[in-house]
């Protein structure tokens, strides 16, 4: 094994870590990211906020794909979420497609193949006294936003760009919540009233609701199952809290068409459906290599030791 391979092995989750992930629905990595990578991601974010894109696509101006396209980020007392950031910034792309992140995702989910699914660049400003809920991310389940995905094995890597604690509004996981059933209402990313979500919407099935803050050092990454309930409270520090969420699909994920359920037009549609290529029968192809590159096994390798 080369030095590089040895280093990678040392950063991977152990069997105990994988069992912990399966039991609790989340995992915190070792320090896997270099300062240079994160510095480039911060710089890339600022370029996105100036609408200075490193690369453009035919859909880069379509507000139906993402409402942040072409909108400069000037009022820094507000929070902001940008989809498709890794398409428009090379610095963010390097982070979103980093081999160690997809290798950890494969180990945790047990999937042989991991493809990119999407990313979200999130800026959480210091909460103002006038609006103490600014920047709250309501407890939600990622999978509820991906009804068009057949897979139940999707996973998210959450990458903060600075140390994170409860003070600056780190991500908070609800322990073991990926195993709870009947939480279909949790499309609540934008809901600011956490107590309402906890008391009225979350079905704990009799378990205790335990919140676990992801207090991470810069360079660490947390991972969560697509059914783990998670969110984040306001930022009580003096500096913005920046993070990139990288959402990943296993190789077996396919588009599923639920629109027969509605006579009102395509209700179950993801913005990706406007962006990716179509299969022979005209449906979105969630293995389109332009939009959903395979990240693991790394291209050009078999992924098997022997
Ligand atoms: O950063 C946040 O507040 C939310 C992130 C999130 O929902 C995710 O990574 O899936
Ligand atoms: Fe999420």
């Amino acid at each position: 094994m080369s030095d590089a391979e040895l280093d990678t092995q040392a950063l991977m989750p152990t069997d105990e870590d994988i069992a912990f992930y399966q039991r609790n629905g989340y995992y915190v990595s070792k320090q896997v990211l270099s300062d240079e990578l994160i510095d480039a991601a911060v710089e890339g974010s600022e370029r996105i906020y100036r609408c200075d894109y490193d690369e453009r696509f035919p859909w880069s101006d379509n507000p139906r794909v993402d409402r942040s396209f072409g909108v400069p980020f000037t009022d820094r007392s507000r929070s902001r979420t940008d989809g498709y950031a890794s398409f428009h910034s090379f610095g963010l792309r390097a982070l979103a497609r980093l081999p160690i992140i997809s290798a950890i995702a494969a180990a945790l989910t047990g999937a042989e193949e991991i493809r990119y699914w999407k990313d979200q660049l999130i800026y959480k400003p210091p909460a103002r006294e006038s609006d103490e809920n600014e920047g709250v991310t309501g407890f939600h389940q990622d999978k509820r936003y991906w009804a068009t995905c057949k897979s139940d094995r999707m996973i998210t890597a959450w990458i903060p760009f600075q140390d994170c604690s409860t003070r600056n509004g780190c991500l908070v996981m609800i322990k073991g919540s990926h195993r709870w059933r009947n939480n279909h209402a949790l499309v609540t990313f934008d809901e600011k009233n956490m107590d309402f979500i906890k008391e009225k919407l979350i079905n704990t099935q009799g378990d205790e609701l335990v919140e676990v803050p992801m207090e991470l050092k810069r360079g660490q990454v947390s991972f969560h199952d697509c059914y783990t309930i998670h969110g984040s409270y306001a930022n009580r520090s003096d500096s913005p809290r920046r993070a990139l969420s990288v959402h990943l699909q296993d190789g077996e994920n396919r588009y599923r068409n639920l629109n027969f359920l509605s006579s009102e037009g395509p209700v179950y549609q993801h913005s990706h459906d406007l962006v990716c290529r179509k299969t022979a029968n005209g449906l979105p192809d969630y293995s389109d290599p332009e939009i959903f590159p395979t990240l693991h096994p790394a291209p050009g390798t078999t992924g098997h030791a022997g």
Side-chain angles (χ1 to χ4, degrees), residues 20-21 24-28 173 175-176 212 214 223-225 228:
F20 179 95
Y21 174 81
N24 296 295
Y26 67 90
Y27 163 71
V28 175
M173 307 293 184
K175 192 175 167 181
V212 187
M214 297 292 102
F223 290 80
H224 58 268
D225 182 278
T228 300

Side-chain angles (χ1 to χ4, degrees), residues 60-100:
S60 293
D61 293 313
N62 184 347
R64 287 180 64 214
V65 174
D66 196 287
R67 62 183 175 214
S68 71
F69 287 168
V71 179
F73 185 22
T74 45
D75 180 358
R76 295 299 178 99
S77 67
R78 292 279 164 204
S79 53
R80 167 142 167 161
T81 302
D82 289 72
Y84 299 87
S86 74
F87 287 88
H88 293 134
S89 151
F90 294 147
L92 291 165
R93 190 179 301 177
L95 202 51
R97 301 187 183 183
L98 198 69
I100 184 71

Side-chain angles (χ1 to χ4, degrees), residues 140 142 224 230:
H140 65 278
D142 292 342
H224 58 268
H230 62 283

